[in-house]
Amino acid sequence: QVRLVESGGGLVQAGDSLRLACVASGRTLSVYAMGWFRQAPGKDREFVASINWSGAISDYADSVKGRFTISRDNAKNTVYLQMNSLKPDDTAVYYCASRYGWDVESLATMRPDYWGQGTQVTVSS
């Protein structure tokens, strides 16, 4: 069992930056691909970004490419999402997710094994 706890959300203005963090406990994070998803009010949950177990391979939704950066620190069992140039359309609850596997390169089309409880990001115009 893996427990994921997100932090770092908040209320910011358009153009600002935020860094989300997700700390995993229960099992070592190094064997899991990690990712971030988001869900805006009235919309389905969508893929944002993911990173493989080693940090060598990352994947991003087109809507965040060039603005968001995912990274991980396996020694700290933590994955980060640096969000720059935030837009009102980025407003959503952001969820951390993980999937077991050395060969998992992206969570864009794979169902995660575990989810965090989510952290709210609100971007005002």
Side-chain angles (χ1 to χ4, degrees), residues 11-62:
L11 172 63
V12 297
Q13 293 186 331
D16 286 351
S17 298
L18 274 178
R19 189 175 82 154
L20 305 182
C22 171
V23 179
S25 61
R27 289 185 180 178
T28 179
L29 194 61
S30 61
V31 298
Y32 288 82
M34 301 297 299
W36 291 92
F37 292 73
R38 67 187 182 186
Q39 187 167 19
K43 296 186 177 181
D44 293 335
R45 190 174 299 188
E46 64 175 2
F47 170 78
V48 174
S50 66
I51 190 166
N52 78 324
W53 71 275
S54 69
I57 302 172
S58 57
D59 190 21
Y60 297 91
D62 288 343

Side-chain angles (χ1 to χ4, degrees), residues 42-100:
K43 296 186 177 181
D44 293 335
R45 190 174 299 188
E46 64 175 2
F47 170 78
V48 174
S50 66
I51 190 166
N52 78 324
W53 71 275
S54 69
I57 302 172
S58 57
D59 190 21
Y60 297 91
D62 288 343
S63 59
V64 306
K65 280 181 182 176
R67 300 188 298 122
F68 290 11
T69 302
I70 189 170
S71 61
R72 66 190 296 160
D73 185 339
N74 287 345
K76 295 182 178 180
N77 265 11
T78 302
V79 62
Y80 303 96
L81 185 68
Q82 177 67 43
M83 305 186 294
N84 298 330
S85 302
L86 282 162
K87 306 174 181 179
D89 284 349
D90 295 318
T91 295
V93 177
Y94 283 71
Y95 296 92
C96 178
S98 66
R99 181 177 173 97
Y100 180 86

